[in-house]
């Protein structure tokens, strides 16, 4: 890595920091803006609530009159019943249904701990979630929310809910809970052929949910919770995790997921949801303990004759890659649902690394019953062992440049003027080529480790196996670990938030140590002005660890711990290679290579150094021609 590359990286870092600082508002500006936005939001919300309430009242009046013509008008039937809660339960899931509306009122995932470390995670409740099914009659729309259903069958994990209309007409929901996290259900209009619009072959599903905070770190969890959907032709997409986003799909979709960091509720349609699905995600304030509000308006196939039901499935469970693969096999729709995409593994390259390497190693180590902290250490050691030959080769390349430094200084001492830098670079490249040294070999460790670092950046925060797992001082590897006694406070501090994470501090300290070692190695191989410039600019190389501190303070302790031990072992490997490398022996090998090239003058010098030398010669010739043309 030469001086220009280092200067470029440093300038980019400085520009980013200055831009962030200069564009960051003052505390007074923040408070004023927040007050303004709160006022606007309050007025807007009040207006929306009034409009919504007026519309709802009008709809209810119309529905009550119109539905009375279709459903029994007596006070004991479908239009004027009472709420009753009915539960379906297995070893993994507890679902509660409400007779008003006939749909799921609440979902509780068993076998996992909530924020208070009590067994059972409440995915949603009746107050935060509702699902309405709307069909078109001859003279009115029928919304299941306005109807009361009677349980007509309730046994062996199955439930049938029926809303009785005049004559023999019925709206029927049939539910069947699978062995774990999959719910199969259907909606069917029975005996309503003459009361429904025969030209309307769609039913509308209105689904809304307040995504509850399930983890200690609100910001970290919020960044990994998103409304996600899957296209029928394959592939998934999601709405922004951090901003208010509304979107209308341009392709049919198989499913929509209201996703938390570690748990999801997924609605799947057998006949797909038609083009034009309206999806929305609205982030909420931290004080509400609601991450965001999800909304979906979906249309799917409906048979007004009642011959065929509209069929659905719901996955209500953990975002566990292997578990989801097993549960998806229980689907009766014969589709490749790709539900495992709920576990985000990164962009294609990083997803490939995680999908075909990290997952298998992680599964193998997890099955051994080892603590999750030990699993992270062993994964780190395995990755270091795999990359060690390349890292060693790269280090030796840098060491060769270091031992050649006196010869380089001697060979280039006549090119110390600024206008002679091109000739100086050519002389250096020529010497490197004669000794068989690659000048870019020192950058290889960073290039090798970067894809792995990014892959783990995507894998660790989404590994539910780390949730509520403790190791050493960390009581939960999935969220931040505040320093005891001083690491948590009530007042929000810009840049820090409300806590100091101990593993984040360890990660940043190890990053500084590793940066020091790499800078020292680079400085030792630089010649003349480059070495002096490196001393002047080395402080800039510490900016990145500082930036990482503010970035990773909210991140899970498992991820920070992985980066800490990864950097620790990287620094240990570099230190060991430095101590075990015999510079005199290495120089003798290079001298032998140099003599070999001298004794074979017809032998073409190859390698990266030779190619760089040739490129620089061509660049010098072009520059010389341009100068002559100017004259």
């Amino acid at each position: 890595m030469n001086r220009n590359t280092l200067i470029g990286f440093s300038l980019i870092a400085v520009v980013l920091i200055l831009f962030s600082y200069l564009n960051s508002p003052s505390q007074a500006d923040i408070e004023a803006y927040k007050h303004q936005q709160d006022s606007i939001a309050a007025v807007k919300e009040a207006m929306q609530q009034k409009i919504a309430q007026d519309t709802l009242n009008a709809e209810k009046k119309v529905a009550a009159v119109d539905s009375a013509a279709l459903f029994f008008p007596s006070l004991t039937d479908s239009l004027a019943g009472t709420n009753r809660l009915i539960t379906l339960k297995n070893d993994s899931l507890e679902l509660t249904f409400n007779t008003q509306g006939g749909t799921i009122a609440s979902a509780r995932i068993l076998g996992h701990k909530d924020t208070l470390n009590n067994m059972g995670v409440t995915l949603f409740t009746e107050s935060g979630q509702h699902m309405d099914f709307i069909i078109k009659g001859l003279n009115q729309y029928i919304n299941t929310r306005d109807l009361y259903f009677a349980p007509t069958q309730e046994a062996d994990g199955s439930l049938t809910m029926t809303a009785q209309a005049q004559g023999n007409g019925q709206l029927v929901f049939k539910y069947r809970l699978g062995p774990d996290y999959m719910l199969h259900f259907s909606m069917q209009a029975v005996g309503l052929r003459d009361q429904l619009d025969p030209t309307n072959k769609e039913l509308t599903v209105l689904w809304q949910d307040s995504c509850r905070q399930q983890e200690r770190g609100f910001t970290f969890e919020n960044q990994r919770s998103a409304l996600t959907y899957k296209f029928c032709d394959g592939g998934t997409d999601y709405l922004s995790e951090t901003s208010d986003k509304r979107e209308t799909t341009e392709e049919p979709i198989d499913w929509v997921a209201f996703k938390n960091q570690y748990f999801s509720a997924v609605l799947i349609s057998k006949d797909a949801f038609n083009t034009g699905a309206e999806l929305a995600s609205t982030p909420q304030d931290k004080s509400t303990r609601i991450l965001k509000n999800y909304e979906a308006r979906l249309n799917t196939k409906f048979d007004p004759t009642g011959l065929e039901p509209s069929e659905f499935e719901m996955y209500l469970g953990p975002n566990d890659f292997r578990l989801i693969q097993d549960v998806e096999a229980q689907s009766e729709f014969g589709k490749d649902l790709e539900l495992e995409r709920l576990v985000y593994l990164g962009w294609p390259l990083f997803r490939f690394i995680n999908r075909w390497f990290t997952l298998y190693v992680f599964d193998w180590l997890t099955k051994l019953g080892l603590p999750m902290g030990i699993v992270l250490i062993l994964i780190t050691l395995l990755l270091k062992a795999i990359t060690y030959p390349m890292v060693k080769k790269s280090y030796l390349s840098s060491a060769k440049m270091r031992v050649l430094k006196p010869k380089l200084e001697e060979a280039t001492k006549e090119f110390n003027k600024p206008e002679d830098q091109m000739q100086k670079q050519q002389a250096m490249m020529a010497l490197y080529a004669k000794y068989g040294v690659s000048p870019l070999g020192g950058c290889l460790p960073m290039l090798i480790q970067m894809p792995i670092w990014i892959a783990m950046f995507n894998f660790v925060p989404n590994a539910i196996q780390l949730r509520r797992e403790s190791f050493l001082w960390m009581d939960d590897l999935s969220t931040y670990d505040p320093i005891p006694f001083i690491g948590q406070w009530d007042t929000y501090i810009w840049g820090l938030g409300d806590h100091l994470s101990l593993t984040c501090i360890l990660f940043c300290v190890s990053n500084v140590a590793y940066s020091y070692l790499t800078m020292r190695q680079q400085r030792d191989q630089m010649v003349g002005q480059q070495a002096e410039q490196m001393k002047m600019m080395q402080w800039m190389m510490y900016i990145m660890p500082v930036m990482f501190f503010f970035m990773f303070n909210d991140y899970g302790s498992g991820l920070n711990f992985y980066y800490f031990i990864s950097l620790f072992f990287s620094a240990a490997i570099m230190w060991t290679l430095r101590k075990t490398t015999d510079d005199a022996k290495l120089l003798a090998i290079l001298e032998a290579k140099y003599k070999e090239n001298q004794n074979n003058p017809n032998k073409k010098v190859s390698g990266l150094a030779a190619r760089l030398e040739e490129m620089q010669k061509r660049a010098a010739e072009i520059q010389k021609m341009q100068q002559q043309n100017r004259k």
Side-chain angles (χ1 to χ4, degrees):
M1 185 179 294
N2 59 28
R3 179 191 61 180
N4 294 334
T5 304
L6 291 173
I7 293 174
F9 280 132
S10 303
L11 289 177
I12 290 173
V14 170
V15 169
L16 289 174
I17 292 175
L18 288 176
F19 180 81
S20 175
Y21 175 78
L22 293 176
N23 286 274
S24 60
S26 65
Q27 188 62 35
D29 293 335
I30 294 174
E31 294 297 330
Y33 178 77
K34 183 177 179 182
H35 178 73
Q36 179 186 17
Q37 293 300 310
D38 289 344
S39 301
I40 295 173
V43 174
K44 182 179 179 181
E45 182 179 0
M47 293 176 64
Q48 289 178 340
Q49 288 179 350
K50 185 177 186 305
I51 294 172
Q53 188 61 46
D54 292 343
T55 303
L56 181 62
N57 292 337
E59 289 177 348
K60 284 186 175 180
K61 290 179 181 179
V62 173
V65 174
D66 291 340
S67 297
L70 177 57
F71 288 86
F72 281 114
S74 68
L75 297 178
T76 59
D77 296 307
S78 299
L79 290 177
T82 57
N83 291 348
R84 178 187 168 191
L85 300 179
I86 303 170
T87 300
L88 291 182
K89 184 178 179 181
N90 57 25
D91 293 337
S92 304
L93 192 61
E94 181 180 272
L95 301 177
T96 303
F97 300 81
N98 198 329
T99 55
Q100 182 180 7
T103 57
I104 299 178
S106 64
R108 187 165 173 262
I109 299 172
L110 308 178
H112 293 269
K113 294 181 179 180
D114 63 12
T115 52
L116 300 177
N117 280 327
N118 298 319
M119 291 304 297
V121 172
T122 301
L123 190 58
F124 56 75
T125 62
E126 184 179 8
S127 61
Q129 184 270 168
H130 63 83
M131 183 182 294
D132 305 334
F133 293 81
I134 302 173
I135 56 178
K136 186 178 182 182
L138 289 175
N139 301 310
Q140 77 282 343
Y141 285 91
I142 302 169
N143 190 333
T144 56
R145 179 192 277 196
D146 300 326
L147 307 179
Y148 288 86
F149 289 72
T152 54
Q153 180 182 350
E154 185 181 349
D156 299 328
S158 298
L159 173 65
T160 300
M161 308 269 282
T162 303
Q164 189 71 42
Q166 289 188 16
N168 295 320
Q170 297 175 334
L171 281 180
V172 181
F173 282 112
K174 291 184 178 181
Y175 297 97
R176 177 166 48 87
L177 183 58
D180 34 47
Y181 300 102
M182 186 71 84
L183 175 70
H184 310 266
F185 72 99
S186 65
M187 176 187 174
Q188 188 172 12
V190 180
L192 294 175
R193 180 193 298 263
D194 297 332
Q195 284 79 30
L196 299 179
D197 184 352
T199 65
N200 184 61
K201 302 298 177 67
E202 290 184 345
L203 85 87
T204 299
V205 183
L206 297 179
W207 188 23
Q208 298 181 348
D209 182 29
S210 297
C211 182
R212 300 158 63 95
Q213 179 183 350
Q214 304 287 359
E215 315 305 325
R216 178 166 60 195
F218 181 92
T219 302
F220 190 61
E221 181 184 6
N222 199 28
Q223 291 171 348
R224 282 150 186 83
S225 303
L227 189 154
T228 307
Y229 54 97
K230 188 243 174 205
F231 299 107
C232 292
D233 293 337
T236 59
D237 202 353
Y238 59 92
L239 302 188
S240 171
E241 304 97 328
T242 56
S243 60
D244 191 338
K245 182 68 175 179
R246 296 181 179 272
E247 189 168 308
T248 301
T249 62
E250 298 180 355
E251 301 177 38
I253 57 179
D254 279 326
W255 51 259
V256 172
F258 290 174
K259 177 181 176 294
N260 281 69
Q261 181 179 3
Y262 292 120
F263 303 96
S264 290
V266 187
L267 179 62
I268 309 162
S269 173
K270 178 180 180 180
D271 299 301
F273 295 113
N274 300 335
T275 300
E278 300 175 13
L279 310 172
S281 174
T282 308
Q284 301 298 300
D285 187 78
K286 181 178 180 179
S287 61
T288 64
R289 296 192 63 81
I290 300 296
L291 301 175
K292 44 181 70 78
N293 287 332
Y294 292 138
E295 300 175 35
R297 183 183 183 93
L298 313 161
N299 294 317
T300 190
K301 181 180 176 181
F302 174 71
D303 181 9
T305 68
L307 297 178
E308 295 183 5
S310 298
E311 297 185 58
F312 305 89
E313 291 175 335
M314 286 193 77
Y315 173 78
L316 301 136
N319 298 330
D320 183 327
F321 193 94
R322 299 302 187 195
L323 173 65
I324 289 176
Q325 285 184 319
D326 294 338
V327 174
E328 184 176 328
Q330 301 172 19
S331 174
E332 299 172 355
F333 296 162
K335 299 180 178 182
D336 183 9
L337 295 174
E338 298 183 85
L339 288 174
E340 69 274 6
R341 290 276 186 166
L342 292 170
V343 183
Y344 183 69
L345 298 179
W347 292 350
L349 171 62
F350 314 121
R351 179 178 178 81
F352 180 85
I353 295 173
N354 285 328
R355 175 68 179 84
W356 301 108
F357 174 78
T358 312
L359 265 172
Y360 283 97
V361 175
F362 190 80
D363 290 343
W364 173 58
L365 294 174
T366 302
K367 289 177 182 178
L368 297 178
L370 300 172
M372 284 299 136
I374 299 297
V375 169
L376 291 175
I377 293 174
L378 292 177
I379 289 177
T380 306
L381 289 174
L382 179 60
L383 291 172
K384 295 302 177 186
I386 292 173
T387 58
Y388 176 76
M390 292 177 286
V391 171
K392 182 178 180 181
K393 184 177 180 180
S394 174
Y395 175 82
L396 289 177
S397 178
S398 298
K400 290 175 183 178
M401 297 172 66
R402 184 180 72 245
V403 298
L404 287 176
K405 181 177 178 180
K407 296 184 178 296
L408 287 171
E409 290 178 338
E410 180 65 26
T412 60
K413 62 182 180 180
E414 58 182 303
F415 305 114
N416 285 328
K417 296 179 181 180
E419 62 269 19
D420 296 335
Q421 292 306 304
M422 180 67 74
Q423 292 91 329
K424 184 174 184 177
Q425 290 293 329
Q426 289 178 356
M428 291 172 62
M429 291 301 105
L431 196 61
Y432 282 143
K434 291 177 181 178
Y435 280 96
V437 175
S438 173
L440 294 183
C443 295
L444 189 60
M446 183 172 61
L447 298 177
I448 294 171
Q449 297 182 61
M450 191 60 68
I452 297 174
W453 270 51
I454 298 177
M456 294 300 289
F457 178 83
N458 290 302
F459 179 82
V460 175
N462 295 304
I464 193 173
Q465 292 83 354
L466 300 180
R467 186 177 186 269
R468 301 295 186 268
E469 289 292 327
S470 61
F471 183 69
L472 299 178
W473 68 88
M474 297 165 281
D475 60 354
D476 186 351
L477 289 169
S478 68
T479 187
Y480 62 83
D481 56 321
I483 298 176
F485 307 111
I486 62 171
Q488 189 87 33
W489 53 81
D490 296 330
T491 304
Y492 178 84
I493 300 177
W494 184 87
L496 286 180
D498 58 2
H499 65 273
L500 276 175
S501 172
L502 179 56
T503 51
C504 178
I505 294 174
L506 292 175
F507 159 48
C508 293
V509 170
S510 62
N511 200 353
V512 170
Y514 183 71
S515 298
Y516 170 78
L517 290 176
T518 54
M519 286 188 296
R520 179 183 174 186
Q521 179 177 324
Q522 292 169 0
R523 186 176 64 247
D524 289 346
Q525 68 191 37
M526 291 182 177
V527 178
Q529 292 183 353
Q530 288 184 343
E532 295 301 320
Q533 291 171 351
M534 185 63 184
K535 293 179 182 179
M536 296 175 60
M537 63 182 293
Q538 60 181 320
W539 65 270
M540 301 176 64
M541 301 299 292
Y542 294 112
I543 292 177
M544 193 61 70
V546 174
M547 294 176 63
F548 279 155
F549 172 76
F550 293 104
M551 182 187 304
F552 282 79
N553 190 45
D554 274 327
Y555 280 46
S557 57
L559 182 63
N560 279 320
F561 181 69
Y562 165 77
Y563 282 152
F564 162 63
I565 57 178
S566 179
L567 284 168
F568 174 81
F569 286 126
S570 294
I573 290 171
M574 185 177 296
W575 182 84
T576 302
L577 287 173
R578 175 100 183 197
K579 291 296 182 180
T580 57
T581 300
D582 189 333
D583 287 359
K585 184 178 180 180
L586 185 60
L587 182 58
I589 294 174
L590 293 175
E591 291 291 357
K593 181 70 174 178
Y594 180 77
K595 290 180 180 179
E596 180 184 347
N597 290 333
Q598 276 189 326
N599 295 331
N600 295 278
N602 296 326
K603 180 181 177 181
K604 184 178 180 180
V605 180
S606 61
L608 180 59
R611 290 193 291 271
L612 288 174
E613 180 187 7
E614 182 64 25
M615 291 173 59
Q616 287 189 341
K617 286 181 178 178
R618 292 180 182 177
E621 291 175 359
I622 294 173
Q623 184 179 11
K624 186 176 180 179
M625 292 176 60
Q626 290 176 344
Q627 291 176 349
Q628 290 177 350
N629 291 335
R630 292 193 191 100
K631 293 179 179 179

